[in-house]
Amino acid sequence: MMILYGISTCDTCKKAQKELTAAGHQVTFRDVRATPLSADEIDRLVGTFGDAIINKSSTTYRSFGEFLKASDPEAQLAAQPAVMKRPVIERDGALTMGWDETVRAKYL
């Protein structure tokens, strides 16, 4: 079982889900806008990836006020889950972030 965390409008998430399914993986998609991350999930993501989990080049991040930009990653994810770099994939308790060649090689 594999969980892909992202948002439904993210083209990279759609591509990753399509490729993973084609490779035979059973993928559960979790839209973090529709089903927000719990405090424990946010802590786990930040604990695993640090502030790299925040997509600072996104329009969501750029729309943050100065206070939220200066806040810790946990507060940013809690306030706006779409600011998370995507996709985050969980399999067998391990997490990966993004859909680059390294991540693709791990799963395909």
Side-chain angles (χ1 to χ4, degrees):
M1 178 61 94
M2 182 179 280
I3 301 171
L4 189 149
Y5 297 87
I7 58 174
S8 61
T9 56
C10 175
D11 290 337
T12 304
C13 293
K14 291 176 191 177
K15 180 180 178 181
Q17 185 173 12
K18 182 179 178 180
E19 290 181 27
L20 290 165
T21 301
H25 295 287
Q26 182 180 355
V27 180
T28 299
F29 179 73
R30 166 100 177 268
D31 187 330
V32 296
R33 279 187 181 150
T35 309
L37 299 164
S38 70
D40 287 342
E41 290 170 322
I42 290 171
D43 288 345
R44 184 168 176 230
L45 291 176
V46 173
T48 301
F49 303 113
D51 66 355
I53 192 66
I54 303 299
N55 184 356
K56 293 183 179 177
S57 64
S58 72
T59 55
T60 302
Y61 181 82
R62 290 193 311 261
S63 72
F64 283 178
E66 290 306 312
F67 178 79
L68 195 51
K69 282 183 181 178
S71 298
D72 59 33
E74 292 87 349
Q76 294 171 351
L77 284 174
Q80 257 323 326
V83 78
M84 177 182 84
K85 279 193 183 169
R86 322 177 274 276
V88 170
I89 301 170
E90 179 176 5
R91 183 175 75 172
D92 300 328
L95 296 169
T96 58
M97 180 178 61
W99 192 242
D100 60 17
E101 289 303 316
T102 304
V103 174
R104 290 178 79 237
K106 179 176 179 127
Y107 296 122
L108 303 181

XYZ file of all heavy atoms in Angstrom:
831
model
N 0.841 -1.186 0.000
C 0.000 0.000 0.000
C 0.879 1.239 0.000
O 1.874 1.318 0.695
C -0.906 -0.002 1.226
C -1.784 1.230 1.336
S -2.904 1.486 -0.004
C -4.350 0.703 0.636
N 0.470 2.198 -0.787
C 1.233 3.424 -0.961
C 0.260 4.597 -0.855
O -0.834 4.544 -1.407
C 1.873 3.380 -2.350
C 2.743 4.510 -2.716
S 3.427 4.266 -4.381
C 4.752 3.122 -4.044
N 0.662 5.655 -0.147
C -0.158 6.858 -0.036
C 0.589 7.994 -0.721
O 1.767 8.227 -0.448
C -0.443 7.228 1.427
C -1.154 6.091 2.143
C -1.286 8.513 1.497
C -1.284 6.284 3.647
N -0.092 8.674 -1.619
C 0.468 9.824 -2.298
C -0.246 11.059 -1.754
O -1.453 11.207 -1.911
C 0.249 9.707 -3.808
C 0.966 10.734 -4.668
C 1.301 10.116 -6.017
C 0.155 11.988 -4.870
N 0.507 11.912 -1.048
C -0.028 13.150 -0.482
C 0.208 14.274 -1.480
O 1.329 14.447 -1.960
C 0.677 13.507 0.823
C 0.501 12.499 1.922
C 1.356 11.408 2.046
C -0.525 12.638 2.853
C 1.199 10.483 3.063
C -0.688 11.717 3.882
C 0.173 10.637 3.975
O 0.018 9.726 4.985
N -0.846 15.018 -1.785
C -0.718 16.125 -2.726
C -2.003 16.911 -2.786
O -2.799 16.889 -1.842
N -2.200 17.593 -3.907
C -3.466 18.276 -4.152
C -3.964 17.860 -5.528
O -3.169 17.542 -6.424
C -3.354 19.810 -4.020
C -2.327 20.385 -4.975
C -3.054 20.216 -2.583
C -2.280 21.905 -4.987
N -5.270 17.848 -5.686
C -5.878 17.293 -6.899
C -5.543 18.075 -8.157
O -5.593 17.522 -9.255
C -7.390 17.195 -6.732
O -7.939 18.481 -6.510
N -5.159 19.334 -8.037
C -4.853 20.147 -9.210
C -3.374 20.129 -9.588
O -2.977 20.767 -10.564
C -5.287 21.607 -8.974
O -4.648 22.089 -7.790
C -6.804 21.716 -8.826
N -2.565 19.397 -8.853
C -1.111 19.357 -9.087
C -0.780 18.389 -10.228
O -1.018 17.185 -10.120
C -0.399 18.939 -7.802
S 1.385 18.708 -7.998
N -0.219 18.920 -11.312
C 0.134 18.080 -12.454
C 1.197 17.046 -12.107
O 1.152 15.919 -12.601
C 0.624 18.938 -13.626
C -0.500 19.746 -14.263
O -1.680 19.351 -14.124
O -0.202 20.775 -14.901
N 2.149 17.399 -11.254
C 3.190 16.451 -10.858
C 2.584 15.300 -10.063
O 2.966 14.145 -10.243
C 4.290 17.155 -10.050
O 4.800 18.248 -10.823
C 5.427 16.208 -9.712
N 1.621 15.598 -9.194
C 0.942 14.547 -8.430
C 0.177 13.611 -9.360
O 0.214 12.392 -9.198
C -0.014 15.154 -7.403
S 0.819 16.067 -6.091
N -0.507 14.180 -10.346
C -1.254 13.369 -11.313
C -0.306 12.462 -12.097
O -0.597 11.287 -12.303
C -2.026 14.267 -12.281
C -3.173 15.020 -11.658
C -3.801 15.952 -12.690
C -4.767 16.914 -12.083
N -5.308 17.853 -13.083
N 0.818 13.028 -12.533
C 1.802 12.253 -13.288
C 2.364 11.115 -12.435
O 2.471 9.979 -12.886
C 2.928 13.166 -13.764
C 3.999 12.463 -14.561
C 5.080 13.446 -15.006
C 6.164 12.715 -15.770
N 7.238 13.598 -16.196
N 2.711 11.425 -11.189
C 3.270 10.407 -10.293
C 2.253 9.291 -10.053
O 2.593 8.109 -10.135
C 3.684 11.035 -8.967
N 1.014 9.668 -9.794
C -0.015 8.658 -9.540
C -0.220 7.767 -10.769
O -0.313 6.546 -10.651
C -1.330 9.319 -9.139
C -2.392 8.316 -8.744
C -3.642 8.976 -8.175
O -3.820 10.190 -8.263
N -4.490 8.176 -7.589
N -0.245 8.373 -11.935
C -0.431 7.610 -13.179
C 0.728 6.631 -13.397
O 0.517 5.461 -13.705
C -0.545 8.577 -14.356
C -0.776 7.909 -15.680
C -0.914 8.942 -16.787
C -1.102 8.257 -18.125
N -1.232 9.233 -19.219
N 1.956 7.105 -13.212
C 3.125 6.249 -13.423
C 3.210 5.143 -12.376
O 3.563 4.009 -12.692
C 4.401 7.089 -13.429
C 4.526 7.963 -14.658
C 5.815 8.787 -14.689
O 6.826 8.364 -14.091
O 5.808 9.863 -15.319
N 2.896 5.454 -11.139
C 2.926 4.446 -10.079
C 1.879 3.365 -10.310
O 2.157 2.171 -10.153
C 2.709 5.109 -8.708
C 3.856 5.974 -8.203
C 3.400 6.852 -7.042
C 5.044 5.118 -7.797
N 0.680 3.782 -10.707
C -0.390 2.824 -10.992
C -0.010 1.947 -12.180
O -0.200 0.724 -12.142
C -1.716 3.561 -11.249
O -2.030 4.338 -10.090
C -2.852 2.590 -11.522
N 0.555 2.548 -13.225
C 0.987 1.783 -14.400
C 2.072 0.780 -14.048
O 2.176 -0.290 -14.677
C 1.476 2.732 -15.491
N 2.875 1.092 -13.022
C 3.943 0.188 -12.585
C 3.420 -0.906 -11.647
O 4.192 -1.723 -11.156
C 5.057 0.976 -11.905
N 2.109 -0.893 -11.383
C 1.519 -1.955 -10.583
C 1.330 -1.648 -9.114
O 0.926 -2.520 -8.345
N 1.607 -0.420 -8.708
C 1.422 -0.050 -7.304
C -0.043 0.271 -7.029
O -0.720 0.856 -7.874
C 2.266 1.179 -6.939
C 3.733 0.949 -7.008
N 4.416 0.199 -6.075
C 4.657 1.370 -7.908
C 5.692 0.173 -6.391
N 5.864 0.869 -7.496
N -0.502 -0.104 -5.861
C -1.827 0.296 -5.404
C -1.638 1.622 -4.667
O -1.037 1.657 -3.591
C -2.424 -0.762 -4.484
C -3.817 -0.411 -4.022
C -4.393 -1.478 -3.101
O -3.799 -2.519 -2.884
N -5.546 -1.187 -2.558
N -2.137 2.699 -5.248
C -1.892 4.040 -4.735
C -3.180 4.635 -4.180
O -4.200 4.665 -4.854
C -1.341 4.967 -5.844
C -1.077 6.357 -5.302
C -0.096 4.382 -6.475
N -3.106 5.116 -2.945
C -4.202 5.869 -2.355
C -3.804 7.333 -2.411
O -2.755 7.713 -1.895
C -4.436 5.453 -0.884
O -4.766 4.065 -0.854
C -5.543 6.267 -0.253
N -4.631 8.150 -3.064
C -4.346 9.576 -3.171
C -4.980 10.305 -1.995
O -6.143 10.086 -1.671
C -4.894 10.145 -4.485
C -4.640 11.618 -4.626
C -3.367 12.094 -4.901
C -5.660 12.531 -4.468
C -3.123 13.450 -5.017
C -5.430 13.894 -4.581
C -4.164 14.354 -4.855
N -4.220 11.159 -1.353
C -4.711 11.952 -0.224
C -4.558 13.419 -0.570
O -3.446 13.945 -0.628
C -3.920 11.599 1.032
C -4.075 12.562 2.186
C -5.050 12.078 3.240
N -5.109 13.015 4.347
C -4.363 12.941 5.441
N -3.524 11.945 5.616
N -4.488 13.855 6.389
N -5.679 14.068 -0.842
C -5.688 15.494 -1.139
C -5.595 16.237 0.194
O -6.528 16.198 0.993
C -6.966 15.870 -1.883
C -6.976 17.307 -2.365
O -6.346 18.170 -1.711
O -7.618 17.567 -3.391
N -4.477 16.910 0.415
C -4.254 17.558 1.709
C -5.093 18.818 1.888
O -5.178 19.346 2.997
C -2.751 17.856 1.958
C -1.955 16.572 2.032
C -2.183 18.804 0.918
N -5.718 19.290 0.818
C -6.675 20.394 0.971
C -8.003 19.850 1.481
O -8.618 20.436 2.366
C -6.909 21.100 -0.358
C -5.857 22.082 -0.733
C -6.301 22.836 -1.976
N -5.296 23.783 -2.391
C -5.109 24.135 -3.644
N -5.846 23.632 -4.611
N -4.183 25.012 -3.947
N -8.455 18.741 0.894
C -9.740 18.156 1.270
C -9.676 17.476 2.631
O -10.633 17.514 3.406
C -10.185 17.163 0.204
N -8.551 16.825 2.909
C -8.337 16.138 4.185
C -7.018 16.644 4.759
O -5.964 16.075 4.497
C -8.281 14.602 3.979
O -9.426 14.183 3.235
C -8.230 13.881 5.306
N -7.080 17.738 5.512
C -5.844 18.352 6.018
C -4.995 17.390 6.857
O -5.504 16.450 7.457
C -6.353 19.516 6.868
C -7.704 19.826 6.314
C -8.266 18.498 5.884
N -3.729 17.669 6.870
C -2.783 16.880 7.656
C -3.027 17.105 9.144
O -3.309 18.228 9.568
C -1.351 17.286 7.307
C -0.925 17.074 5.857
C 0.348 17.859 5.568
C -0.737 15.600 5.573
N -2.879 16.046 9.919
C -2.984 16.179 11.375
C -1.687 16.793 11.903
O -0.667 16.841 11.199
C -3.199 14.806 12.014
O -2.013 14.022 11.903
N -1.716 17.233 13.143
C -0.511 17.788 13.767
C 0.610 16.753 13.786
O 1.773 17.083 13.537
C -0.819 18.276 15.175
N 0.276 15.493 14.039
C 1.298 14.438 14.045
C 1.886 14.236 12.648
O 3.096 14.031 12.506
C 0.703 13.117 14.554
C 0.448 13.133 16.050
O 1.027 13.985 16.763
O -0.334 12.273 16.514
N 1.041 14.279 11.620
C 1.535 14.123 10.243
C 2.438 15.286 9.859
O 3.489 15.086 9.238
C 0.359 14.011 9.264
C -0.395 12.706 9.393
C -1.684 12.681 8.603
O -2.391 13.712 8.527
O -2.002 11.607 8.056
N 2.042 16.492 10.235
C 2.875 17.666 9.950
C 4.222 17.534 10.658
O 5.270 17.764 10.052
C 2.143 18.964 10.367
C 0.968 19.226 9.422
C 3.111 20.151 10.391
C 0.057 20.355 9.851
N 4.203 17.135 11.917
C 5.453 16.948 12.667
C 6.347 15.911 11.992
O 7.568 16.085 11.929
C 5.166 16.531 14.106
C 4.607 17.663 14.953
O 4.703 18.838 14.536
O 4.061 17.371 16.037
N 5.741 14.848 11.502
C 6.516 13.796 10.832
C 7.143 14.315 9.536
O 8.312 14.032 9.249
C 5.621 12.592 10.547
C 6.366 11.446 9.941
C 5.526 10.185 9.931
N 6.258 9.144 9.249
C 5.765 8.397 8.293
N 4.509 8.529 7.923
N 6.500 7.479 7.711
N 6.380 15.063 8.747
C 6.915 15.609 7.496
C 8.057 16.580 7.768
O 9.111 16.502 7.136
C 5.812 16.313 6.704
C 4.733 15.425 6.107
C 3.654 16.275 5.435
C 5.317 14.435 5.119
N 7.854 17.478 8.712
C 8.912 18.447 9.042
C 10.108 17.729 9.666
O 11.263 18.055 9.376
C 8.371 19.571 9.944
C 9.495 20.482 10.417
C 7.301 20.376 9.210
N 9.851 16.710 10.486
C 10.939 15.940 11.077
C 11.751 15.195 10.037
O 12.964 15.025 10.184
N 11.104 14.763 8.976
C 11.788 14.024 7.910
C 12.503 14.946 6.929
O 13.648 14.694 6.550
C 10.778 13.146 7.140
O 10.161 12.244 8.056
C 11.460 12.347 6.035
N 11.824 16.022 6.509
C 12.349 16.858 5.429
C 12.809 18.251 5.872
O 13.384 18.995 5.068
C 11.291 17.016 4.327
C 10.821 15.712 3.757
C 9.517 15.291 3.953
C 11.676 14.898 3.041
C 9.066 14.088 3.433
C 11.246 13.691 2.511
C 9.936 13.283 2.711
N 12.549 18.615 7.129
C 12.902 19.965 7.582
C 12.105 21.015 6.828
O 11.020 20.737 6.317
N 12.674 22.203 6.698
C 11.932 23.256 6.010
C 11.929 23.078 4.491
O 11.272 23.837 3.776
C 12.399 24.648 6.418
C 13.820 24.962 5.996
O 14.510 24.084 5.457
O 14.239 26.112 6.225
N 12.605 22.048 3.988
C 12.543 21.737 2.560
C 11.143 21.293 2.151
O 10.807 21.321 0.961
C 13.564 20.653 2.200
N 10.308 20.896 3.112
C 8.936 20.490 2.814
C 8.108 21.683 2.332
O 7.074 21.509 1.694
C 8.276 19.806 4.038
C 6.954 19.122 3.657
C 8.046 20.781 5.169
C 7.070 17.962 2.731
N 8.570 22.907 2.587
C 7.851 24.112 2.178
C 8.329 24.546 0.793
O 9.518 24.767 0.578
C 8.059 25.265 3.195
C 7.627 24.837 4.598
C 7.324 26.522 2.729
C 6.180 24.447 4.738
N 7.386 24.683 -0.128
C 7.702 25.134 -1.478
C 7.707 26.665 -1.494
O 6.677 27.297 -1.698
C 6.676 24.585 -2.471
C 6.999 24.945 -3.893
O 7.947 25.666 -4.165
N 6.203 24.442 -4.822
N 8.876 27.224 -1.282
C 9.001 28.674 -1.156
C 8.887 29.405 -2.489
O 8.796 30.629 -2.512
C 10.309 29.029 -0.452
C 10.300 28.577 0.996
C 11.535 28.973 1.731
C 11.417 28.490 3.173
N 12.599 28.770 3.945
N 8.858 28.682 -3.589
C 8.674 29.333 -4.886
C 7.214 29.281 -5.347
O 6.891 29.785 -6.413
C 9.585 28.691 -5.940
O 9.221 27.344 -6.144
N 6.350 28.699 -4.534
C 4.942 28.576 -4.924
C 4.187 29.894 -4.761
O 4.563 30.749 -3.960
C 4.250 27.500 -4.075
O 4.074 27.952 -2.746
N 3.111 30.028 -5.508
C 2.267 31.216 -5.359
C 1.616 31.236 -3.983
O 1.385 32.317 -3.431
C 1.182 31.281 -6.446
O 0.421 30.078 -6.422
C 1.791 31.466 -7.821
N 1.350 30.055 -3.426
C 0.771 29.992 -2.080
C 1.732 30.617 -1.072
O 1.331 31.459 -0.268
C 0.455 28.535 -1.690
O -0.439 27.978 -2.652
C -0.151 28.450 -0.309
N 2.992 30.223 -1.118
C 3.979 30.776 -0.185
C 4.150 32.279 -0.408
O 4.210 33.057 0.553
C 5.323 30.061 -0.330
C 6.363 30.576 0.633
C 6.396 30.129 1.943
C 7.297 31.537 0.242
C 7.339 30.609 2.849
C 8.238 32.020 1.137
C 8.256 31.557 2.433
O 9.182 32.048 3.316
N 4.233 32.692 -1.661
C 4.439 34.115 -1.961
C 3.270 34.964 -1.488
O 3.436 36.159 -1.246
C 4.699 34.302 -3.452
C 6.063 33.751 -3.873
C 6.477 34.190 -5.266
N 5.471 34.004 -6.287
C 5.423 32.991 -7.142
N 6.332 32.047 -7.096
N 4.478 32.924 -8.045
N 2.091 34.343 -1.328
C 0.925 35.105 -0.855
C 0.893 35.242 0.669
O 0.075 35.997 1.196
C -0.369 34.439 -1.331
O -0.610 33.238 -0.615
N 1.779 34.532 1.365
C 1.842 34.633 2.821
C 2.228 36.048 3.241
O 3.065 36.688 2.609
C 2.901 33.682 3.400
C 2.514 32.230 3.461
C 3.426 31.303 3.927
C 1.270 31.777 3.080
C 3.104 29.955 4.009
C 0.934 30.434 3.151
C 1.847 29.526 3.623
N 1.673 36.483 4.351
C 2.124 37.725 4.965
C 3.473 37.499 5.622
O 3.933 36.360 5.767
N 4.099 38.571 6.033
C 5.430 38.468 6.645
C 5.430 37.602 7.908
O 6.370 36.857 8.158
C 5.992 39.858 6.945
C 6.372 40.642 5.696
C 7.326 39.880 4.784
O 8.336 39.322 5.269
O 7.051 39.833 3.568
N 4.361 37.697 8.693
C 4.286 36.906 9.925
C 4.321 35.411 9.612
O 5.071 34.659 10.225
C 3.021 37.258 10.720
C 2.867 36.447 11.973
C 3.598 36.766 13.117
C 2.016 35.347 12.018
C 3.481 36.013 14.273
C 1.893 34.593 13.175
C 2.620 34.924 14.308
N 3.502 34.982 8.641
C 3.454 33.558 8.310
C 4.748 33.099 7.638
O 5.234 32.005 7.898
C 2.238 33.244 7.431
C 1.852 31.780 7.293
C 1.725 31.086 8.655
C 0.553 31.635 6.517
N 5.337 33.951 6.806
C 6.618 33.601 6.191
C 7.701 33.399 7.248
O 8.588 32.580 7.086
C 7.068 34.674 5.199
C 6.362 34.600 3.870
C 6.903 35.637 2.914
C 6.173 35.564 1.587
N 6.629 36.596 0.644
N 7.616 34.156 8.345
C 8.606 34.046 9.421
C 8.282 32.901 10.389
O 9.100 32.565 11.237
C 8.693 35.357 10.185
N 7.113 32.295 10.241
C 6.698 31.207 11.133
C 7.435 29.922 10.796
O 8.034 29.784 9.728
C 5.191 30.966 11.000
O 4.469 32.097 11.386
N 7.338 28.960 11.706
C 7.984 27.676 11.460
C 7.202 26.873 10.417
O 6.040 27.172 10.133
C 8.168 26.892 12.758
C 6.867 26.603 13.479
O 5.832 26.406 12.823
O 6.885 26.552 14.718
N 7.842 25.872 9.806
C 7.191 25.093 8.755
C 5.888 24.424 9.218
O 4.954 24.287 8.434
C 8.235 24.039 8.369
C 9.529 24.564 8.852
C 9.227 25.458 10.011
N 5.846 24.027 10.489
C 4.632 23.395 11.005
C 3.441 24.350 10.908
O 2.349 23.956 10.473
C 4.813 22.942 12.464
C 5.781 21.800 12.650
C 7.241 22.222 12.819
O 7.575 23.406 12.600
O 8.063 21.359 13.160
N 3.643 25.597 11.278
C 2.569 26.592 11.217
C 2.177 26.882 9.771
O 0.993 27.049 9.466
C 3.002 27.885 11.914
N 3.152 26.910 8.885
C 2.866 27.164 7.476
C 2.032 26.039 6.875
O 1.055 26.287 6.162
C 4.175 27.353 6.705
C 4.916 28.600 7.119
C 6.304 28.696 6.532
O 6.821 27.755 5.931
N 6.928 29.852 6.707
N 2.398 24.788 7.173
C 1.626 23.647 6.660
C 0.228 23.592 7.257
O -0.731 23.247 6.562
C 2.352 22.326 6.938
C 3.536 22.009 6.053
C 4.234 20.744 6.538
C 3.112 21.852 4.609
N 0.110 23.923 8.529
C -1.203 23.907 9.173
C -2.104 24.991 8.581
O -3.298 24.757 8.363
C -1.052 24.098 10.682
N -1.526 26.148 8.276
C -2.309 27.258 7.737
C -2.686 27.043 6.274
O -3.797 27.370 5.861
C -1.519 28.565 7.876
N -1.776 26.496 5.500
C -1.973 26.315 4.064
C -1.319 25.017 3.603
O -0.165 25.028 3.176
C -1.317 27.457 3.310
C -2.111 28.555 2.750
C -3.454 28.239 2.159
O -3.701 27.197 1.575
N -4.351 29.169 2.318
N -2.016 23.888 3.641
C -1.414 22.610 3.243
C -0.866 22.605 1.817
O 0.075 21.868 1.513
C -2.555 21.612 3.384
C -3.563 22.265 4.253
C -3.387 23.741 4.094
N -1.401 23.450 0.950
C -0.949 23.477 -0.446
C 0.475 23.999 -0.599
O 1.069 23.860 -1.670
C -1.898 24.326 -1.287
N 1.060 24.553 0.460
C 2.429 25.048 0.400
C 3.446 23.896 0.475
O 4.632 24.094 0.240
C 2.678 26.110 1.500
C 2.878 25.473 2.848
C 3.847 27.000 1.147
N 2.967 22.691 0.738
C 3.835 21.507 0.832
C 4.414 21.173 -0.541
O 3.711 21.203 -1.548
C 2.988 20.329 1.327
C 3.722 19.017 1.402
S 2.611 17.676 1.944
C 1.870 17.228 0.374
N 5.714 20.860 -0.579
C 6.296 20.347 -1.815
C 5.651 19.009 -2.092
O 5.448 18.198 -1.188
C 7.811 20.197 -1.691
C 8.533 21.494 -1.882
C 10.018 21.279 -2.072
C 10.703 22.612 -2.197
N 12.153 22.482 -2.121
N 5.358 18.755 -3.359
C 4.583 17.570 -3.700
C 5.204 16.833 -4.867
O 5.897 17.442 -5.650
C 3.160 17.946 -4.105
C 2.542 19.052 -3.330
C 1.172 19.405 -3.847
N 1.165 20.346 -4.944
C 1.230 21.656 -4.816
N 1.358 22.201 -3.645
N 1.176 22.432 -5.865
N 4.839 15.577 -4.963
C 4.090 14.785 -3.991
C 4.984 14.277 -2.874
O 6.194 14.188 -3.030
C 3.575 13.614 -4.823
C 4.628 13.409 -5.874
C 5.147 14.804 -6.181
N 4.345 13.944 -1.775
C 5.002 13.173 -0.723
C 4.408 11.780 -0.826
O 3.191 11.621 -0.888
C 4.774 13.777 0.678
C 5.251 12.822 1.761
C 5.491 15.109 0.801
N 5.267 10.794 -0.897
C 4.821 9.406 -1.046
C 5.256 8.624 0.182
O 6.413 8.699 0.597
C 5.399 8.766 -2.324
C 4.952 9.572 -3.557
C 4.990 7.302 -2.431
C 5.651 9.193 -4.842
N 4.312 7.889 0.732
C 4.597 7.040 1.881
C 4.404 5.590 1.470
O 3.372 5.213 0.923
C 3.667 7.366 3.041
C 3.908 6.498 4.257
C 3.053 6.874 5.453
O 2.184 7.751 5.335
O 3.278 6.266 6.516
N 5.415 4.788 1.738
C 5.338 3.342 1.514
C 6.121 2.650 2.608
O 7.281 2.979 2.859
C 5.897 2.949 0.145
C 5.747 1.439 -0.109
C 6.182 1.041 -1.485
N 7.641 1.052 -1.535
C 8.343 0.608 -2.563
N 7.751 0.173 -3.644
N 9.656 0.640 -2.533
N 5.464 1.703 3.250
C 6.088 0.914 4.322
C 6.703 1.807 5.399
O 7.786 1.525 5.911
C 7.147 -0.036 3.757
C 6.571 -1.014 2.753
O 5.394 -1.406 2.905
O 7.291 -1.387 1.800
N 6.025 2.919 5.705
C 6.494 3.807 6.759
C 7.574 4.783 6.349
O 7.932 5.658 7.122
N 8.105 4.648 5.133
C 9.149 5.557 4.646
C 8.520 6.640 3.773
O 7.540 6.388 3.077
C 10.199 4.790 3.859
N 9.104 7.830 3.805
C 8.592 8.968 3.043
C 9.602 9.430 2.007
O 10.807 9.431 2.261
C 8.296 10.146 3.984
C 7.219 9.959 5.037
C 7.259 11.119 6.035
C 5.850 9.872 4.387
N 9.089 9.824 0.850
C 9.893 10.514 -0.154
C 9.147 11.779 -0.542
O 7.929 11.876 -0.368
C 10.139 9.657 -1.413
O 8.884 9.284 -1.987
C 10.962 8.419 -1.095
N 9.879 12.738 -1.088
C 9.283 14.006 -1.486
C 9.691 14.321 -2.916
O 10.848 14.171 -3.287
C 9.770 15.117 -0.550
C 9.229 16.485 -0.869
S 9.806 17.742 0.320
C 11.570 17.688 0.088
N 8.721 14.773 -3.715
C 8.991 15.152 -5.093
C 8.822 13.982 -6.045
O 8.465 12.867 -5.646
N 9.064 14.252 -7.318
C 8.948 13.217 -8.352
C 10.081 13.395 -9.355
O 9.883 13.541 -10.544
C 7.561 13.284 -9.023
C 7.245 12.105 -9.869
C 7.003 12.116 -11.221
C 7.154 10.735 -9.471
N 6.754 10.843 -11.659
C 6.842 9.976 -10.616
C 7.303 10.071 -8.256
C 6.673 8.592 -10.563
C 7.135 8.708 -8.213
C 6.826 7.982 -9.351
N 11.300 13.386 -8.819
C 12.473 13.501 -9.670
C 12.980 12.104 -10.031
O 12.373 11.093 -9.674
C 13.556 14.342 -8.993
C 14.022 13.759 -7.659
O 13.779 12.566 -7.372
O 14.648 14.504 -6.885
N 14.080 12.038 -10.737
C 14.612 10.750 -11.205
C 14.943 9.801 -10.051
O 14.738 8.600 -10.151
C 15.846 10.965 -12.090
C 15.518 11.564 -13.448
C 14.523 10.726 -14.230
O 14.659 9.478 -14.278
O 13.596 11.312 -14.812
N 15.459 10.331 -8.948
C 15.811 9.489 -7.807
C 14.575 8.838 -7.206
O 14.564 7.624 -6.933
C 16.546 10.324 -6.728
O 17.681 10.944 -7.328
C 16.976 9.458 -5.558
N 13.532 9.624 -7.018
C 12.286 9.084 -6.449
C 11.643 8.113 -7.434
O 11.186 7.035 -7.043
C 11.309 10.218 -6.057
C 9.977 9.671 -5.597
C 11.939 11.100 -4.982
N 11.618 8.477 -8.698
C 11.021 7.608 -9.719
C 11.762 6.258 -9.753
O 11.142 5.204 -9.818
C 11.069 8.268 -11.081
C 10.116 9.457 -11.170
C 10.183 10.173 -12.518
N 9.415 9.410 -13.481
C 9.894 8.930 -14.609
N 11.152 9.140 -14.948
N 9.135 8.246 -15.419
N 13.087 6.296 -9.686
C 13.877 5.054 -9.720
C 13.566 4.166 -8.522
O 13.613 2.932 -8.627
C 15.358 5.380 -9.777
N 13.236 4.770 -7.409
C 12.941 4.009 -6.207
C 11.642 3.203 -6.347
O 11.519 2.103 -5.818
C 12.839 4.955 -5.006
C 12.515 4.279 -3.707
C 12.521 5.264 -2.556
C 12.162 4.546 -1.287
N 13.082 4.736 -0.225
N 10.681 3.771 -7.052
C 9.351 3.159 -7.126
C 9.020 2.485 -8.455
O 8.132 1.648 -8.498
C 8.273 4.208 -6.838
C 8.341 4.776 -5.452
C 8.502 6.138 -5.246
C 8.232 3.965 -4.331
C 8.552 6.666 -3.970
C 8.292 4.490 -3.051
C 8.444 5.841 -2.883
O 8.505 6.360 -1.620
N 9.683 2.864 -9.537
C 9.325 2.303 -10.844
C 10.243 1.195 -11.293
O 11.331 1.049 -10.868
C 9.278 3.416 -11.890
C 8.337 4.576 -11.583
C 8.366 5.591 -12.719
C 6.900 4.090 -11.376
